Amino acid sequence: EISVFGIAVAILLGFRNNEAYNRFWEARAAWGDLTNASRNFGSQVINYIQPPSNKKFGLQDITRIHSEIIYRHLAFLNILRLQLRQEKNLEEIKPFLSELEFNKLSTIVNKATLINHWQSIQLRELYQSGWIDKHAYVVGLMDSIKDFFVAQGRCERIKNTPLPRQYAFFTKSFVWIFVLLLPFGLVQHLGWGAFPIYVVLATIFTITERIGSRTEEPFESKLEDVPMSFICRNIEIDLKQQLGESSVPEPVEIRNGILM
């Protein structure tokens, strides 16, 4: 009976699409965690990193160190976005790094990991120089670095471990088998007047299958993917305002109801 086969296909579609949405939502949650941790990190950098009491530094020196660390973090976020989308153009992160650091990236495979590692190295040096209290260093700043690594790992796991191909292959195959057999089942009950109903049902099943196919990979620069460019820009605005900078970029615009 074609109706029994249709129910089975609908259950399979529901399972596959639910798993696809779970992947998308975990990816979005990872970037939400990056947003929250970044705001917290910016506040930690500005409040925890201060010159030792036995040495005198000018406000310009303190601001330079704060800016260097926060800008390097913005480079980490944007390079992670580029890596997940497999984009090679690194010019847009150049303003966030020194020339020496930017040039070093050309030979590195996982650039986001290295940038975060540079952060931990500088924080250790500042701690050893008396710029950071021990508790603030261990429990505060280094915990934030850990949070960044964890969120990066979650994104890389989603990117590098696709939904098993057998789900996509058999789901699509069964949908098309059902769509091809459906007219014969409808004609038996409704005659040739069943054509409009067939078109509606076939459209519903094929579009539902397509939705799952496009949802399961949230880092492919598709219109419905996680809006990483929008998130990175919002974090950049927040952190630059925490630094007290007057010149901040505009938020990424929504174009035709789409965020990238």
Side-chain angles (χ1 to χ4, degrees), residues 95 104 202:
K104 282 183 179 179

Side-chain angles (χ1 to χ4, degrees), residues 81-112:
R81 166 177 59 85
L82 295 175
Q83 285 182 185
L84 292 172
R85 288 177 173 168
Q86 297 180 321
E87 297 178 3
K88 304 297 183 182
N89 183 17
L90 303 182
E91 287 300 314
E92 58 184 292
I93 70 160
K94 200 170 185 177
F96 301 128
L97 295 172
S98 67
E99 186 176 353
L100 178 62
E101 289 177 335
F102 182 78
N103 291 335
K104 282 183 179 179
L105 288 179
S106 60
T107 60
I108 303 302
V109 176
N110 195 323
K111 297 173 175 58

